[in-house]
Amino acid sequence: LNNPDNRVSFKEATIAGQAADKGLFFPERIPALPEGFIDQLKHLSKEEIAYTVIAPYVGDSIPEEALRQIVAETVNFDIPLKLIHDGVYTLELFHGPTLAFKDTGARFMSRCLGYFMRSAQQKVTVLVATSGDTGGAVADGFYDVEGVDVVILYPSGKVSSVQEKQLTTLGKNITALEVAGTFDDCQQMVKSAFMDEALKQHLFLTSANSINVARWLPQQFYYFFALQQWQLAVPPVFCVPSGNFGNICAGLLAHASGLPVKHFIAACNENDVVTRYLASGNYEPLPAVATISNAMDVGSPSNFVRILEIFQQQFIALQQQLTSFRVDDTQTKLQLKSVYEQFGYLLDPHGAVGYEALQRYQQTVDAAPGIILETAHPVKFYDVVEPVIGEAVPIPEAIQTQLKKEKHSILMPAKFDELKAFLLSR
Ligand SMILES: *Cc1c(COP(=O)(O)O)cnc(C)c1O
């Protein structure tokens, strides 16, 4: 995005993560969906839909048969659309191996990178900062993938206990660095590492954050799966709990390529830089603050520049398609409790932010029916959820085993020099 003359293949973009000038990769053109595709949606398999959506972005970087295989392994879990009550639906994105929506992007990216690395001489080190769910999804996606080492930075004490176990108990090619700082500190350290010449000489580094196109682009899939299950005549409003804005940006991209959507809502917690931007036109990032929906504790969302690009920097056009609300922890807890008590549906804190945002939109702007993207299973945040509903959240078997495993992390101050020394020693 910093230099339109810098053209690369999908393969180069996936391996590099971001351009040498720190710019994010973005499709040269936004492809239009094949004619009749949307009308056919209900008759197509998830694999077929996902393949059709992603193929134009991958181009000839991966042959058809291999790409179909990657896509099939990416979407091999349920993504059901459920009714919470009249006009409010939930798209459950948490049926993947780490119970978070990031499984889709991480599974796709790890398989693409694994495919590209088969013919490579050198090992690649995936360096990733996480505010919670990225780490687990990436660790699971890349676990034991040949030719790939993974180093995860997470803010100490600011991720849930389930999340922490998911990224610190695997071992093998997965290393967790526990940073004494915030997610923004972790992200900054990772960004500095990618710019560092000495590190570049020593290691072949890439990222697995949503800035990587191979994580970002497949997140379009489930917007199509939602529409496939949608029974109403008017297209849905999508309400997306947002932090780094990769998820909603994928939805906006799908819409730009032809997916029918009535409107998008970015549901934010107290980290509301985009909410303020849409109200004032001024983009003023602030340091991240800690909330109970911690996977959205991002002060300066990376994918914001991609959203501007989709709308060709036209503020009014963006405002017409995207609304944002800021939801604080008190309101989040109130909705979590009330939705559970009134409708028997247990949201996680991120989904509860989404629910409150959709309520506000429906009550003050447009009563159109909407879908909340439920981005994580409530059990991942049982430390928050249980005191609010006054009940225990049953822990799925798969997670129970992981919770009993011993945590292995390396403590590190929030200083790039420390990260550099660690990476140089590998
Ligand atoms: C990562 C995450 C988000 C935020 O998604 P972005 O793509 O960064 O906006 C929301 N909810 C959960 C549970 C997450 O893990």
Side-chain angles (χ1 to χ4, degrees):
L1 285 178
N2 291 357
N3 173 10
D5 295 328
N6 180 11
R7 300 207 173 118
V8 296
S9 64
F10 175 79
K11 174 178 176 175
E12 289 167 301
T14 298
I15 293 174
Q18 66 193 118
D21 62 8
K22 292 197 180 190
L24 299 200
F25 292 115
F26 191 85
E28 214 179 318
R29 283 166 285 104
I30 298 177
L33 297 169
E35 211 165 316
F37 179 65
I38 293 297
D39 299 333
Q40 297 260 306
L41 223 46
K42 293 200 162 55
H43 310 292
L44 299 174
S45 67
K46 272 165 51 211
E47 290 80 3
E48 189 61 37
I49 293 172
Y51 176 78
T52 307
V53 170
I54 205 73
Y57 294 97
V58 175
D60 51 17
S61 285
I62 304 175
E64 175 170 347
E65 201 182 322
L67 185 59
R68 283 192 183 274
Q69 176 70 29
I70 290 172
V71 156
E73 289 174 18
T74 302
V75 299
N76 71 349
F77 50 85
D78 281 349
I79 302 191
L81 181 72
K82 294 184 179 164
L83 180 73
I84 299 183
H85 58 77
D86 207 27
V88 178
Y89 295 77
T90 164
L91 185 69
E92 295 184 345
L93 299 176
F94 55 72
H95 297 281
T98 74
L99 314 183
F101 84 89
K102 291 186 176 75
D103 282 323
T104 302
R107 287 166 81 72
F108 185 78
M109 179 185 167
S110 60
R111 283 156 181 81
C112 290
L113 202 59
Y115 177 84
F116 297 142
M117 282 303 121
R118 269 187 232 161
S119 51
Q121 303 299 320
Q122 205 187 350
K123 258 195 173 187
V124 61
T125 300
V126 170
L127 188 63
V128 63
T130 183
S131 57
D133 281 347
T134 298
V138 167
D140 182 87
F142 282 96
Y143 180 66
D144 226 4
V145 171
E146 196 86 26
V148 184
D149 276 335
V150 178
V151 177
I152 299 167
L153 282 76
Y154 72 97
S156 182
K158 297 192 176 66
V159 303
S160 83
S161 53
V162 176
Q163 288 175 324
E164 186 170 43
K165 289 282 178 159
Q166 286 181 331
L167 46 102
T168 58
T169 57
L170 285 172
K172 276 203 178 165
N173 60 331
I174 315 290
T175 306
L177 301 181
E178 183 174 352
V179 175
T182 62
F183 168 66
D184 284 344
D185 293 328
C186 297
Q187 184 145 274
Q188 201 49 53
M189 288 162 78
V190 167
K191 281 185 182 162
S192 303
F194 288 119
M195 294 301 122
D196 191 274
E197 285 305 320
L199 277 177
K200 272 194 227 167
Q201 298 294 322
H202 182 72
L203 281 178
F204 182 10
L205 282 182
T206 192
S207 90
N209 280 96
S210 56
I211 56 173
N212 194 302
V213 289
R215 258 203 62 199
W216 172 50
L217 295 170
Q219 298 181 132
Q220 296 177 89
F221 296 164
Y222 38 73
Y223 290 90
F224 290 86
F225 302 160
L227 207 72
Q228 190 183 31
Q229 299 170 69
W230 187 247
Q231 304 287 349
L232 308 179
V234 279
V237 171
F238 277 107
C239 180
V240 187
S242 294
N244 226 349
F245 280 70
N247 199 9
I248 196 165
C249 187
L252 290 164
L253 183 69
H255 177 56
S257 75
L259 181 79
V261 177
K262 181 110 198 284
H263 195 75
F264 285 90
I265 302 168
C268 297
N269 61 25
E270 282 149 77
N271 298 283
D272 63 345
V273 58
V274 174
T275 318
R276 286 180 286 112
Y277 169 76
L278 287 169
S280 71
N282 297 325
Y283 190 69
E284 294 166 329
L286 291 173
V289 297
T291 74
I292 56 167
S293 47
N294 67 38
M296 312 199 299
D297 294 351
V298 182
S300 177
S302 309
N303 286 288
F304 181 67
V305 286
R306 283 186 172 138
I307 294 182
L308 293 182
E309 186 66 22
I310 291 173
F311 289 89
Q312 297 169 334
Q313 326 292 323
Q314 301 295 309
F315 181 69
I316 302 292
L318 174 58
Q319 253 188 341
Q320 281 165 358
Q321 199 58 59
L322 178 67
T323 303
S324 179
F325 295 97
R326 169 195 198 268
V327 177
D328 67 27
D329 280 357
T330 311
Q331 294 157 333
T332 306
K333 286 184 192 165
L334 272 174
Q335 286 299 14
L336 213 159
K337 189 172 162 63
S338 119
V339 172
Y340 185 59
E341 286 175 355
Q342 283 189 64
F343 309 108
Y345 190 84
L346 186 58
L347 293 158
D348 94 294
H350 304 76
V353 170
Y355 183 87
E356 167 69 14
L358 182 58
Q359 288 290 301
R360 282 195 221 163
Y361 182 78
Q362 290 179 330
Q363 280 160 16
T364 62
V365 186
D366 182 351
I371 300 173
I372 303 157
L373 267 54
E374 180 40 302
T375 47
H377 190 292
V379 79
K380 290 195 85 171
F381 303 94
Y382 72 88
D383 333 41
V384 174
V385 173
E386 290 184 351
V388 172
I389 61 168
E391 278 175 38
V393 184
I395 299 181
E397 197 91 24
I399 295 283
Q400 277 182 25
T401 343
Q402 198 150 30
L403 282 178
K404 287 191 201 110
K405 288 194 185 155
E406 205 185 323
K407 157 183 162 183
H408 291 284
S409 69
I410 298 171
L411 290 165
M412 184 171 283
K415 292 204 178 81
F416 169 63
D417 287 347
E418 301 274 342
L419 175 64
K420 183 172 173 174
F422 169 80
L423 290 172
L424 285 174
S425 72
R426 286 165 71 84

